[in-house]
Amino acid sequence: MLRVSHIQRFCLHDGPGLRTTVFLQGCSLRCWWCHNPEAQAMRADHARDWEVATLAAELLRDERWWRAGGAAGVQVGGVTLSGGEPLLQAQGAGELLDCLGGHGTHRVVETAGAAPRQAFETLLPRVELWLYDLKSVDDKVFRAGTGGEAITPMNNLAWLLDETAAEVRVRLPVIHGFNNDDTQLQRMADWLSRRRRRPIVEPLAGHMVNKPGAARETWPVASPQVDASMMNHVRQLLAHAGLEIL
């Protein structure tokens, strides 16, 4: 059984090719800039519980579209599990990925890493690509912005990069007033550059989302989105640390 927030089809930014993205319900973090705040609570009126086999059959209806991309010269797509935090439903997610893998489906998991190591070990052989959000390596900053601890996501990402052969793309959301200053960016760049396998890094311009609550209100008011100049600066800083930028 899997609790699903929603399913989105024809996605272009959740992994290679044309994809169907399943947003699983429930997250251990409370990032104030979250694009899917409705998926944070484990229980929500809009969420639906799916039997794994039924959900797999629903997703495989899109298989012709994933394959059509390959015929058009675009990389063949597949299914991405996102959220929320898909690692919080690792058992059901693993069963779903097994069903999809049996049909040759390309499987991606998008995670913020705030989950037990056992969840990563469960999904590791079932995932072709990890999209891993790195928000901060400063525990004080991380805690203030997300409500969680930085050490768990850092340890899980280090394990993937240092001790496995998993394909990992690090996504770095650049958020005004949170991690867009040079000190925070340099610390993340240096930490990534020390990994045994340096990952490809994809900087993403983050939005300021006007969510209610004290966590959001503690941060300075800023523009809705970081601008092109800031993103160019971020890319240059990451590249200077020897990281490959997407």
Side-chain angles (χ1 to χ4, degrees):
M1 187 73 70
L2 279 169
R3 181 159 295 166
V4 176
S5 173
H6 59 286
I7 299 170
Q8 186 171 326
R9 292 177 161 86
F10 307 111
C11 299
L12 297 173
H13 304 291
D14 296 332
L18 189 65
R19 310 193 69 80
T20 302
T21 300
V22 183
F23 294 88
L24 298 183
Q25 189 71 27
C27 186
S28 50
L29 301 178
R30 293 295 183 269
C31 305
W32 52 256
W33 60 87
C34 182
H35 284 199
N36 300 305
E38 72 282 357
Q40 288 181 348
M42 183 56 73
R43 296 189 179 277
D45 291 341
H46 72 274
R48 174 180 172 183
D49 290 333
W50 287 80
E51 294 286 350
V52 169
T54 304
L55 179 56
E58 174 69 20
L59 299 175
L60 287 167
R61 292 171 54 194
D62 298 339
E63 187 172 19
R64 65 187 183 280
W65 301 110
W66 310 331
R67 304 293 178 190
V74 180
Q75 187 167 355
V76 173
V79 171
T80 298
L81 300 189
S82 186
E85 175 51 70
L87 273 296
L88 296 185
Q89 300 188 60
Q91 180 176 348
E95 294 172 5
L96 176 63
L97 294 172
D98 277 342
C99 291
L100 297 171
H103 289 263
T105 303
H106 186 272
R107 301 161 296 181
V108 171
V109 168
E110 182 173 14
T111 179
R117 176 69 52 79
Q118 184 179 1
F120 282 87
E121 293 171 346
T122 296
L123 298 190
L124 185 65
R126 302 170 166 92
V127 177
E128 277 72 57
L129 172 65
W130 296 85
L131 299 179
Y132 203 113
D133 286 358
L134 180 64
K135 306 174 192 297
S136 175
V137 296
D138 181 316
D139 190 65
K140 183 178 180 180
V141 170
F142 188 96
R143 184 186 298 274
T146 73
E149 297 181 351
I151 190 64
T152 297
M154 290 172 64
N155 284 345
N156 285 327
L157 180 55
W159 176 74
L160 283 173
L161 295 173
D162 295 346
E163 300 184 38
T164 80
E167 184 176 353
V168 181
R169 181 190 303 168
V170 171
R171 287 183 153 182
L172 199 162
V174 182
I175 310 297
H176 267 298
F178 172 67
N179 65 359
N180 68 312
D181 63 275
D182 280 3
T183 298
Q184 293 297 317
L185 293 167
Q186 191 66 58
R187 288 187 64 179
M188 287 188 282
D190 291 344
W191 187 84
L192 288 171
S193 69
R194 293 195 299 270
R195 306 278 56 87
R196 182 178 67 82
R197 293 187 299 127
R198 292 182 176 181
I200 295 174
V201 181
E202 182 181 8
L204 300 172
H207 294 263
M208 300 285 282
V209 180
N210 291 320
K211 285 179 58 182
R216 169 64 182 88
E217 293 167 0
T218 60
W219 294 95
V221 175
S223 58
Q225 181 174 341
V226 297
D227 58 21
S229 176
M230 168 58 71
M231 293 308 296
N232 286 335
H233 175 70
V234 172
R235 293 186 184 94
Q236 290 172 7
L237 187 150
L238 294 169
H240 187 71
L243 299 167
E244 183 179 349
I245 311 305
L246 184 65

